[in-house]
Amino acid sequence: MRRKHLVAIVVVIFLTWNLLMYYMLVSKNPGKTGSGSVEDQLRGLQGDIHRQLSQNSELLQQLRKFREQKLAEKLDREIHKTTTPVPLNVDKIILPILLIACDRTTVSRSLDLLLKYRPNKDKFPIIVSQDCGHKPTADVIQRYVVDHGVQHIKHPNTSDIHLPWPQKKFQGYYKLSRHYKWALNQVFHTYNHSAVIIVEDDLDISPDFYEYFSATFPILHQDPSLWCVSAWNDNGKVEMVSDDAELLYRTDFFPGLGWMMEKSTWLELGPKWPNAFWDDWMRHPDQRKGRACIRPEICRTSTFGKKGVSKGLFYEKHLKFIKLNNKFVPFTKKDLTYLMKDKYDAYFTKLVKETPEVTVAEAMAGHKSNLKALKILYSTKEEFKSTAKKLGIMDDFKAGVPRVAYNGVVSFMYRGQRIYLSPPPNWKGYDPKWS
Ligand SMILES: *[C@@H]1O[C@H](CO)[C@@H](O)[C@H](O)[C@H]1NC(C)=O
Ligand SMILES: *[C@@H]1O[C@H](CO)[C@@H](O)[C@H](O)[C@H]1NC(C)=O
């Protein structure tokens, strides 16, 4: 009996609910009656359900994104933990020389000088990385392995790189970039070094090459606004440098040609290393990020090779005349902290500001030739180029930065006088459109 009662009550409730629902549906759209309006309402309901569904899936997507973000953050923290530099003992730092070689047997000339001036084989191990699989070159390098404990590693991938026709002529640049990436990964990941000095197989070095890099390493390591030390001065021709071999500078222009970087820099650049033209890629603001390099007044490397990927004409016109330093400067016994950004910027800005200003014509005519230094201002790209041409310095830009420039100022010698080719005091920074 009680059960029948219950069933009856449930049935009544069910019917009432249905009636109520029907009433509600009808009264929602009081203007319409008949089957048309019910259809409309059903359609409406369907729409509601669809909206609800899409909201749900959006919610789900957001949740997924959130989860991925959290995972990425966690991974980031873990990677960071493993790559946070352990405090380095800068005096005991090992600075391997990575010599990039290919198919030039004259690599022996570079190796001879690297060995001749090397003060300590444990502090400066030499790693020759060879691309191209050239047997005669491999044989030459192998002699140094046997006689001097030089390490010889070979790029395993010497395959041609498939390029569409207009880029075909740049094959060499593509291979070079691929080789650099592989070799630097070996240095930092396989051999786990903390820094590297990179040279190529056509470079001579100065007697104080190792001394220069040893002494500047602690500065590079301490100053996050520096990302390299280079042996090169792009305006390093004999008549454009003073004979003060101690002089060092900061530059916003990445010079390359015998240069040092730390592992932290490679961890940043390695994963996005370009397929070609790696040096210009490094000069782009996306990579440089406002950082500077240390460079000398007088080059600590010079190139003897004509045959090469990028050289040739550039060698005949320019590289041939670069002065290689021949004195030994005991840099490690000197205080180089003046190269740290704060100190250097204050000193350099004041120096340029206080230097008397002349026009190019005046400088060329020997006005004020009794003064040690002169300043010439430039405000436009054309002004810079025309002045540079007249005075014989490099007149090109990469990513808007003139070679050798620091805070827009290019420093060089002209007929025995120091010249600062400088932007005006209200300078706003480099314009990447200048080229
Ligand atoms: C060799 O390099 C080419 C082009 O960079 C690349 O496509 C290929 O996968 C590489 N081969 C190996 C075995 O790494
Ligand atoms: C790599 O070098 C770092 C810093 O010198 C050191 O802490 C770490 O243990 C080394 N890792 C390996 C696998 O040798």
Side-chain angles (χ1 to χ4, degrees):
M1 269 320 255
R2 233 185 262 160
R3 231 171 146 192
K4 265 191 188 166
H5 236 86
L6 215 68
V7 169
I9 287 171
V10 167
V11 167
V12 168
I13 288 175
F14 181 70
L15 284 176
T16 316
W17 185 73
N18 273 304
L19 270 169
L20 268 172
M21 284 307 283
Y22 179 73
Y23 177 75
M24 268 170 63
L25 286 178
V26 171
S27 67
K28 226 179 172 181
N29 255 336
K32 285 182 186 168
T33 48
S35 63
S37 94
V38 171
E39 248 171 52
D40 281 350
Q41 284 162 15
L42 281 176
R43 220 173 282 135
L45 264 175
Q46 203 178 5
D48 282 348
I49 290 168
H50 273 303
R51 265 193 294 282
Q52 193 71 47
L53 276 175
S54 75
Q55 273 172 10
N56 282 350
S57 79
E58 249 171 54
L59 207 70
L60 203 70
Q61 236 163 23
Q62 277 173 6
L63 268 171
R64 233 178 250 147
K65 234 189 240 162
F66 183 71
R67 203 176 125 235
E68 273 162 19
Q69 232 172 32
K70 285 281 150 206
L71 262 175
E73 277 170 21
K74 194 174 152 224
L75 206 68
D76 218 40
R77 273 199 304 275
E78 271 164 18
I79 289 173
H80 205 71
K81 227 187 287 160
T82 56
T83 58
T84 301
V86 224
L88 278 179
N89 186 338
V90 290
D91 300 322
K92 290 208 178 127
I93 184 81
I94 292 173
L95 295 175
I97 314 298
L98 174 64
L99 198 170
I100 298 287
C102 173
D103 59 359
R104 290 186 282 207
T105 53
T106 49
V107 64
S108 61
R109 174 164 164 178
S110 297
L111 276 167
D112 286 340
L113 279 185
L114 282 169
L115 289 164
K116 177 177 173 188
Y117 295 133
R118 183 167 68 163
N120 180 332
K121 69 176 170 35
D122 297 320
K123 187 176 169 70
F124 304 104
I126 296 171
I127 304 169
V128 184
S129 182
Q130 193 197 353
D131 198 4
C132 316
H134 190 243
K135 178 80 166 51
T137 305
D139 290 345
V140 168
I141 298 167
Q142 208 53 38
R143 283 205 326 255
Y144 292 84
V145 174
V146 176
D147 297 345
H148 302 280
V150 162
Q151 211 173 334
H152 184 190
I153 58 178
K154 293 177 184 170
H155 188 200
N157 191 353
T158 54
S159 67
D160 270 351
I161 297 168
H162 179 75
L163 294 168
W165 168 74
Q167 270 110 50
K168 261 218 150 40
K169 58 178 177 292
F170 299 129
Q171 175 86 223
Y173 292 96
Y174 281 80
K175 285 192 172 175
L176 192 62
S177 204
R178 180 174 68 178
H179 182 198
Y180 261 78
K181 179 173 185 167
W182 178 82
L184 285 164
N185 275 330
Q186 295 298 303
V187 168
F188 290 119
H189 297 305
T190 307
Y191 303 112
N192 196 29
H193 286 298
S194 302
V196 69
I197 298 169
I198 302 159
V199 292
E200 292 192 14
D201 59 354
D202 61 346
L203 288 184
D204 286 336
I205 61 164
S206 68
D208 57 357
F209 176 87
Y210 293 96
E211 180 74 6
Y212 170 63
F213 284 109
S214 296
T216 49
F217 178 78
I219 309 290
L220 173 66
H221 183 64
Q222 280 169 58
D223 183 345
S225 70
L226 285 172
W227 70 328
C228 104
V229 176
S230 168
W232 190 254
N233 171 4
D234 272 295
N235 286 323
K237 293 184 189 172
V238 182
E239 69 279 13
M240 288 170 199
V241 293
S242 80
D243 49 20
D244 183 356
E246 277 188 38
L247 265 183
L248 305 180
Y249 298 81
R250 292 172 67 100
T251 175
D252 297 315
F253 189 94
F254 171 74
L257 285 157
W259 59 288
M260 171 168 70
M261 73 168 156
E262 287 195 274
K263 183 175 185 171
S264 54
T265 307
W266 181 246
L267 292 178
E268 181 192 318
L269 300 179
K272 53 173 182 169
W273 194 249
N275 291 329
F277 311 111
W278 63 270
D279 46 355
D280 283 346
W281 173 83
M282 277 186 68
R283 292 167 182 141
H284 191 277
D286 286 353
Q287 277 64 249
R288 189 170 75 83
K289 297 186 173 145
R291 290 171 291 191
C293 297
I294 295 175
R295 59 111 182 153
E297 168 85 359
I298 307 177
C299 289
R300 263 58 184 185
T301 53
S302 75
T303 160
F304 59 79
K306 285 193 204 183
K307 197 183 119 199
V309 187
S310 57
K311 289 139 197 169
L313 197 66
F314 194 56
Y315 177 86
E316 285 303 324
K317 272 186 68 182
H318 178 68
L319 298 173
K320 205 160 92 170
F321 303 105
I322 292 286
K323 176 180 176 180
L324 176 64
N325 176 53
N326 55 15
K327 299 190 192 93
F328 185 94
V329 178
F331 284 117
T332 56
K333 309 223 163 41
K334 296 181 182 295
D335 179 10
L336 300 184
T337 54
Y338 70 88
L339 290 163
M340 309 272 292
K341 185 174 173 56
D342 290 350
K343 275 196 198 176
Y344 189 88
D345 284 9
Y347 149 83
F348 192 66
T349 310
K350 184 163 176 282
L351 180 70
V352 174
K353 192 174 160 209
E354 288 173 354
T355 300
E357 185 191 328
V358 295
T359 63
V360 196
E362 284 169 342
M364 293 177 75
H367 270 48
K368 301 185 178 163
S369 60
N370 57 320
L371 295 181
K372 270 194 171 150
L374 300 173
K375 174 171 60 188
I376 301 172
L377 293 186
Y378 70 92
S379 301
T380 63
K381 182 178 99 176
E382 287 69 30
E383 264 174 29
F384 180 90
K385 280 195 178 266
S386 121
T387 307
K389 278 208 180 78
K390 284 178 187 153
L391 302 180
I393 60 164
M394 302 292 285
D395 66 348
D396 59 338
F397 305 87
K398 301 281 185 180
V401 184
R403 288 180 191 267
V404 175
Y406 187 66
N407 289 343
V409 181
V410 174
S411 163
F412 58 96
M413 298 298 284
Y414 179 74
R415 296 185 187 156
Q417 267 179 313
R418 171 69 54 192
I419 305 273
Y420 299 110
L421 182 50
S422 168
N426 64 352
W427 187 64
K428 299 280 188 306
Y430 299 104
D431 181 348
K433 290 194 290 296
W434 288 22
S435 60

